[in-house]
Amino acid sequence: MSGGIVDNSPVRTVVHRGLTIEGYSRAAVQTYWRIPELKIGFDFGAQPWSFMGTSTWFVSHTHLDHVAALPVYVARRRMMKMEPPTIYLPESTIEPVERILKLFTRLDRGRLPCQLLPARPGEEIELSREHVVTVSATRHTVPSLGFIVWDRRRKLKAEFQGLSGDQIRDLRLGGTDVTEEIRFPLLAYVGDSSPEGLDSCPAMYEARILITEITFIAPSHLKDKIHKYGHIHLDDIVERRDRFKNELIIASHFSTRYLDGRIRKLVERALPDLLGGRLKLWL
Ligand SMILES: [Zn+2]
């Protein structure tokens, strides 16, 4: 699909335990992520041509650097004769986004077929038999959400574990539910948020992979002021260093005020072992 296409949107990639994380994120520039194995993406700051085949998306909030490419994405899928996508957004943003799509349809003379669905904190969204997404509130200057993808499977209940296959079969035939659901948080995503977005949802710290923003890192950029604007400072991560149980923490959405080299230097000064090598700077 990408053959011959010149794509101006940068994509970085990391693979961790069977999941490929693709994307890019700089504050005020653009943020977009995709996990092909889960068949989902997060945010539409831009839309790399290669991301078009993913049909389910979650929008953390509707600042332009996270949503501007939504109409482009919907139009491309229609042009390529793909199914209309499903896009989950903060509830209050659906009506204005629908209006924007209608206006673009007028300008472009092309329909923009898609399903826009509300994501509300506390809700669960079923992706497949194996995967479910939970929605949490984060804290930014506009309505904003965090998302966790859970792996779920059914396991024999503890009380039946000593039984033989025949006994279990008989129980099952008799209508007993012999299994229970076991969930494991595979991947967590915090778009733009103050540290509350992490703290108010403990599974963020437990997920195998955490993608989080760290917009500010310099000591001269003061934490309290940054929290007011709904962002995370490197000092917040240092304060919480013992809470992160994640195998991989992707730190992203750095302010454009910092050059890459300075980001590396300041982070390595504050966290010399990069949280045991688990903290990856998305530069
Ligand atoms: Zn942003």
Side-chain angles (χ1 to χ4, degrees):
M1 161 116 354
S2 58
I5 296 295
V6 177
D7 202 328
N8 285 322
S9 310
V11 175
R12 314 246 185 284
T13 299
V14 65
V15 179
H16 182 75
R17 305 232 343 227
L19 291 183
T20 311
I21 319 298
E22 301 174 303
Y24 182 81
S25 175
R26 278 310 275 262
V29 183
Q30 48 194 22
T31 291
Y32 44 89
W33 301 96
R34 178 173 86 145
I35 302 92
E37 294 85 358
L38 297 174
K39 301 189 171 70
I40 59 169
F42 298 106
D43 288 344
F44 289 109
Q47 175 69 196
W49 185 261
S50 62
F51 280 20
M52 188 198 323
T54 296
S55 61
T56 303
W57 286 76
F58 296 86
V59 174
S60 66
H61 66 294
T62 50
H63 276 154
L64 271 176
D65 57 323
H66 295 254
V67 81
L70 190 155
V72 172
Y73 160 73
V74 175
R76 280 184 189 168
R77 282 187 62 95
R78 189 213 61 223
M79 182 180 76
M80 301 302 281
K81 305 203 176 353
M82 295 172 156
E83 287 293 306
T86 301
I87 304 167
Y88 293 92
L89 303 115
E91 188 169 23
S92 61
T93 69
I94 291 203
E95 194 264 341
V97 170
E98 277 171 349
R99 281 197 349 237
I100 288 168
L101 291 180
K102 278 197 189 111
L103 290 171
F104 267 118
T105 293
R106 233 165 85 190
L107 290 174
D108 187 79
R109 305 267 168 93
R111 284 185 319 111
L112 292 170
C114 60
Q115 194 177 19
L116 304 179
L117 294 175
R120 304 177 191 95
E123 271 186 357
E124 282 191 20
I125 296 161
E126 192 149 319
L127 290 178
S128 65
R129 240 165 55 138
E130 294 88 37
H131 297 123
V132 61
V133 172
T134 56
V135 185
S136 61
T138 58
R139 195 179 176 87
H140 198 43
T141 54
V142 294
S144 63
L145 300 170
F147 302 99
I148 294 181
V149 186
W150 301 77
D151 181 87
R152 60 173 178 181
R153 47 198 62 188
R154 299 208 67 88
K155 195 178 145 242
L156 197 62
K157 284 180 186 162
E159 67 236 59
F160 301 129
Q161 263 163 24
L163 300 183
S164 71
D166 283 352
Q167 287 171 310
I168 288 164
R169 194 202 52 208
D170 289 346
L171 278 169
R172 214 177 238 146
L173 289 172
T176 305
D177 187 0
V178 295
T179 61
E180 61 188 342
E181 190 182 287
I182 305 289
R183 285 188 180 193
F184 177 79
L186 275 183
L187 179 129
Y189 175 54
V190 178
D192 290 12
S193 178
S194 73
E196 248 182 272
L198 293 171
D199 296 345
S200 64
C201 181
M204 294 280 176
Y205 292 104
E206 310 288 334
R208 184 175 285 166
I209 302 167
L210 168 66
I211 304 172
T212 182
E213 74 127 281
I214 305 180
T215 306
F216 293 97
I217 51 170
S220 58
H221 292 134
L222 298 176
K223 243 182 6 180
D224 296 343
K225 206 164 147 200
I226 282 154
H227 294 172
K228 226 172 63 201
Y229 293 108
H231 286 299
I232 293 174
H233 190 285
L234 175 60
D235 290 352
D236 298 312
I237 303 296
V238 174
E239 268 172 27
R240 290 163 178 75
R241 56 178 307 158
D242 296 329
R243 297 186 60 182
F244 294 98
K245 304 289 177 253
N246 322 83
E247 292 175 13
L248 173 65
I249 302 151
I250 295 175
S252 65
H253 199 264
F254 299 109
S255 164
T256 51
R257 287 166 225 213
Y258 313 124
L259 296 174
D260 290 4
R262 182 150 178 252
I263 294 170
R264 275 196 200 95
K265 218 169 92 187
L266 286 169
V267 173
E268 277 164 18
R269 189 182 295 162
L271 295 164
D273 73 338
L274 295 175
L275 297 174
R278 293 174 298 144
L279 183 68
K280 181 174 173 56
L281 308 182
W282 204 259
L283 294 169

